[in-house]
Each structure stands twice: as structure tokens, then as C-alpha cells.
Amino acid sequence: IQADGTDGNCVTFVLHNEDHTLGNSLRYMVMKNPDVEFCGYCIPHPSESKINFRIQTRGALPAVEPFRKGLNDLMGVCQHVLNTFEVRAPAFPILW
């Protein structure tokens, strides 16, 4: 959803079947970009499993670019955590 009168630098993305888990971590990653003026999300209603994720950039940078970069950066962080866990987990015995 693009705001009226903008050239794509202010967009609200609707992400279905998502909640605060993705919303807050993605917001953090997107806000690390210095070209992003505003980034936030909301859950329209507790019974709906979707989030409205809004990005507004400075200048002519389209909002979709920091959105993609944020998703890619978040996937990279998750992959790093998974790799670190897989390397170090065998050092701890399972005590059940």
C-alpha cells in the first residue's frame, strides 16, 4: 500500500501469518539503515494473523529497498545463530 502523493518512499507492507516475532526484529534491522526516516508496524486486531509494516525513507530511495535489505540481513543473523548453535551444541550433553 503506497501513500498518496509519494514516489514509493512511503509504503505499508501487509505481511500475512506474521506477528511480533517478525515485526519487531525486522523493524530493528530496517531502522539500522540511515536512509530510513521511519519504520514501524502494528497488528490491526489481535484475532488477525497479519501485521502492517510501514517504511518511510529519506529522498528518492524506494521503501522496498530497505525492506528487502532488512529481510536479507535478518536471514543472515538467523543463519549465524543457527550455525553457532550447531557448532557448539554437541559440546553440551543431553541430560534427560
Side-chain angles (χ1 to χ4, degrees):
I1 304 170
Q2 186 172 328
D4 291 338
T6 64
D7 55 355
N9 67 327
C10 187
V11 177
T12 300
F13 302 92
V14 180
L15 306 173
H16 296 275
N17 299 319
E18 296 298 343
D19 57 15
H20 292 290
T21 304
L22 177 67
N24 196 36
S25 54
L26 182 58
R27 182 200 57 78
Y28 174 78
M29 298 305 284
V30 171
M31 280 303 298
K32 291 173 68 171
N33 187 332
D35 294 323
V36 174
E37 187 171 7
F38 173 81
C39 181
Y41 75 95
C42 70
I43 296 177
H45 191 274
S47 67
E48 292 183 273
S49 61
K50 71 176 183 178
I51 61 175
N52 294 333
F53 195 86
R54 186 169 184 89
I55 299 175
Q56 182 174 345
T57 61
R58 294 181 172 89
L61 179 69
V64 72
E65 288 184 26
F67 182 67
R68 282 189 183 129
K69 183 176 181 342
L71 287 169
N72 287 329
D73 291 349
L74 185 57
M75 286 192 309
V77 168
C78 291
Q79 190 61 52
H80 173 73
V81 169
L82 180 61
N83 292 343
T84 302
F85 176 78
E86 288 174 344
V87 166
R88 297 190 179 160
F92 297 97
I94 297 175
L95 301 174
W96 356 42

